[in-house]
Amino acid sequence: YARSKTIAENNLRLHQANAELARLYEKTRELDELKTQFFANISHELRTPLTLILGPVGKHLADPDLAPALRRDLEVVERNARMLYRHVSDLLDVAKLEAGRMVMHYTEGDLAHLTRVIASHFDSLAEGRCIRYVVTTPPTLTAQVDAEKYQRILLNLLSNAFKFAGDGGAIQLRLTAAGGQARIEVEDNGPGIPEAMREQVFEPFRQVEGGSSRHHGGTGLGLAIVRELAQLHGGSVRIDAAPSGGALFILELPLLAPPGTQLQAQGEAL
Ligand code: ADP
């Protein structure tokens, strides 16, 4: 009798523990949803005033008669407002991705051309910092991707490369295609990413501890977004060591949109 009583008591405790665990799990899920919703709301609320700051600033900067001192100040305002806008957009993207609300808009176009256009945004930065910046692509490459999201991926990878490659360093962007996949490699000769961290840096908010990242600032969201966007395309992204010891990001995207996808007309996406 004593033994069966102990067994009954143990069963009861187990049952209670299970119920408590289920309650905690439900609570965590609710909090997680609230957090995601909070990020989405706050990002949205922050973007509107930023747009209203950027509008008039841009208008004044376009005025050729603007006094030089005022122009310099307004350029600082514009640069920083843009940076803030990008960070806020990252937060909004993460919230959308976590809520599964990111919608894909595939178009068919020349991925080589698109890649060269995106890459060229960094030409003047490379020149100013004496970075050897080499972009190699085939003359054309027809692919079905979400052009805007492809741009977000590439801009994130390239800004990281430019953040970590020192002045006078080297950055390469290579686009190739094989086996129905486009392969994009972004390589820099900065400090690189320790092998143990090469998966973790794709987690939201994760940065390499103790490295130069804290010094470089950033939100730790860029790579999380890159991976999610690559996966939404049915592709992947991973890190390898560059021969120079720097970082080498390898992005692979299918050349064709998922079967059954409705392609959008050119120009609708961007
Ligand atoms: P952020 O750049 O805003 O910190 P990311 O998600 O883009 O966020 O990057 C996460 C971390 O990965 C960075 O903080 C840095 O530690 C590391 N990292 C990313 N790209 C590079 C790179 N090219 N070279 C070295 N470390 C990098």
Side-chain angles (χ1 to χ4, degrees), residues 188-260:
D188 66 64
N189 70 342
I193 300 174
E195 202 169 342
M197 289 294 293
R198 285 188 199 148
E199 270 304 304
Q200 292 179 31
V201 287
F202 288 103
E203 291 166 20
F205 309 111
R206 185 73 80 163
Q207 299 181 314
V208 177
E209 286 293 334
S212 47
S213 334
R214 298 274 176 222
H215 162 75
H216 282 102
T219 54
L221 291 175
L223 289 179
I225 293 170
V226 165
R227 173 158 281 177
E228 293 273 2
L229 293 181
Q231 287 174 347
L232 277 176
H233 276 95
S236 65
V237 59
R238 63 180 194 278
I239 301 173
D240 226 325
S244 64
L248 168 59
F249 284 82
I250 302 167
L251 169 73
E252 281 177 321
L253 298 179
L255 289 170
L256 294 179

Side-chain angles (χ1 to χ4, degrees), residues 83 86-87 129 131 159-167 188 190-192 207-208 210-220:
M83 190 160 53
R86 273 205 304 276
H87 288 329
R129 290 181 44 202
I131 289 175
S159 353
N160 277 346
F162 275 90
K163 207 150 71 165
F164 289 96
D167 290 357
D188 66 64
Q207 299 181 314
V208 177
S212 47
S213 334
R214 298 274 176 222
H215 162 75
H216 282 102
T219 54

